Amino acid sequence: MTETTKTHVILLSCGSFNPITKGHIQMFERARDYLHKTGRFIVIGGIVSPVHDSYGKQGLVSSRHRLTMCQLAVQSSDWIRVDPWECYQDTWQTTCSVLEHHRDLMKRVTGCILSNVNTPSMTPVIGQPQNESPQPIYQNSNISNKPTAAKILGKMGESLSRICCVRPPMERFTFVDENANLGTVMRYEEIELRILLLCGSDLLESFCIPGLWNESDMEVIVGDFGIVVVPRDGTDTDRIMNHSSILRKYKNNILVVKDDVNHPMSVVSSTKSRLALQHGDGHVVDYLSQPVIDYILKSQLYITASG
């Protein structure tokens, strides 16, 4: 597959991030590496979306702190950013709502048609009506100035980086300009762009708990979007999927990361990192990056079990 025919992916991770751990960032990296190795995908961005304060989880610190810790955790990444939209809403948002928000935002900002993993859209990404010829962007008739795959991908990367790969300043979290016109040059090519939910196998298991998830939401999350699962140690993801009719139905939309890298998924655990902080355990450095630890100590977070 050429670079322009591969599916371009934005990985979205929703969670408490209370606090965000090294393992959460490793999940992004492992997922990106795996998707690239399949030869079918190009990951162009990652989004960390912390949950709203009204989620009601015991010990959940203020979103102001969690957003800042997430920002510190990704400050050395050139492709993962933190998005405050979920925290800034009036109340808690479902995972389905967060995915739909980002899908709609990407449509407005880039003009991209977001399609299903296994049923790619045949609609041009930037659409002028099919019965109209696009106005030429390149006025010079010299062939070297006409669009090429490299130029188009470069322009797309430049445009989408303004959404997916540019982190907001620490002092202020801002929203993407929904009226921006970022992708005009892409009308020459058909680019498949998808937002995939990135999660651990524990979230996959939660889909099998009766009554925990709204079934229509599950249909949208797995059927319309698709998920990338980074399994916890020794987890049998096939067994989990066989326990849910919806997961079985959309099994081809569930991408399970399989790699040879030995990353113990226990380092993803925010609970273990909080316990380590409360007990003064030096192993907290195994869970959290130093900038996050410094912020937690400065702000006196997680000193007690209640946060």
Side-chain angles (χ1 to χ4, degrees), residues 27-255:
M27 285 176 65
F28 275 97
E29 300 289 351
R30 289 179 64 187
R32 182 176 69 161
D33 290 347
Y34 175 75
L35 292 179
H36 286 177
K37 286 177 182 177
T38 68
R40 297 166 51 200
F41 305 98
I42 299 175
V43 178
I44 60 173
I47 300 174
V48 176
S49 181
V51 75
H52 192 274
D53 286 341
S54 65
Y55 181 56
K57 191 172 185 179
Q58 185 177 7
L60 185 68
V61 302
S62 163
S63 59
R64 175 175 63 88
H65 291 306
R66 289 182 290 113
L67 284 167
T68 301
M69 288 187 285
C70 287
Q71 183 67 27
L72 289 167
V74 304
Q75 65 183 350
S76 62
S77 174
D78 61 358
W79 68 281
I80 306 170
R81 76 169 183 86
V82 182
D83 188 276
W85 179 85
E86 189 175 352
C87 290
Y88 284 178
Q89 300 313 294
D90 292 334
T91 188
W92 170 74
Q93 301 293 307
T94 64
T95 300
C96 184
S97 296
V98 178
L99 283 163
E100 289 175 334
H101 159 74
H102 285 285
R103 177 195 61 196
D104 295 343
L105 180 59
M106 293 303 295
K107 284 181 180 178
R108 289 196 297 273
V109 174
T110 69
C112 291
I113 302 299
L114 279 76
S115 62
N116 198 303
V117 171
N118 295 300
T119 55
S121 165
M122 297 309 293
T123 308
V125 175
I126 294 295
Q128 293 197 356
Q130 293 300 294
N131 57 353
E132 293 183 15
S133 299
Q135 294 299 315
I137 296 174
Y138 298 87
Q139 301 300 324
N140 192 322
S141 61
N142 189 313
I143 289 184
S144 64
N145 288 331
K146 292 182 178 178
T148 64
K151 288 179 181 177
I152 291 165
L153 281 174
K155 174 61 75 173
M156 186 183 70
E158 174 188 324
S159 299
L160 292 180
S161 71
R162 292 168 61 181
I163 304 168
C164 307
C165 305
V166 176
R167 298 176 300 280
M170 282 294 297
E171 300 81 11
R172 182 166 166 244
F173 289 86
T174 56
F175 292 100
V176 174
D177 179 3
E178 298 181 1
N179 297 313
N181 180 12
L182 303 180
T184 312
V185 74
M186 288 190 294
R187 70 163 62 97
Y188 285 90
E189 291 284 342
E190 191 175 304
I191 304 291
E192 292 297 334
L193 175 62
R194 292 190 52 78
I195 297 175
L196 298 178
L197 180 65
L198 174 65
C199 66
S201 50
D202 53 340
L203 186 140
L204 194 68
E205 285 184 285
S206 74
F207 282 155
C208 302
I209 300 174
L212 183 61
W213 288 82
N214 181 299
E215 288 203 4
S216 62
D217 280 5
M218 287 178 61
E219 288 269 355
V220 172
I221 293 169
V222 189
D224 292 354
F225 287 92
I227 59 179
V228 180
V229 182
V230 181
R232 301 226 172 189
D233 307 326
T235 301
D236 186 344
T237 53
D238 287 332
R239 179 190 59 79
I240 295 171
M241 287 187 277
N242 286 332
H243 273 75
S244 164
S245 59
I246 292 177
L247 296 182
R248 288 197 303 271
K249 179 180 178 181
Y250 296 110
K251 191 171 183 177
N252 289 337
N253 280 1
I254 302 172
L255 305 167

Side-chain angles (χ1 to χ4, degrees), residues 22 72 75 284-285 287-297:
K22 289 180 178 179
L72 289 167
Q75 65 183 350
V284 70
V285 296
Y287 300 103
L288 307 177
S289 65
Q290 193 59 51
V292 173
I293 294 173
D294 292 342
Y295 180 83
I296 288 171
L297 296 176

Side-chain angles (χ1 to χ4, degrees), residues 292-305:
V292 173
I293 294 173
D294 292 342
Y295 180 83
I296 288 171
L297 296 176
K298 178 182 177 182
S299 304
Q300 297 189 319
L301 303 176
Y302 310 118
I303 295 174
T304 65

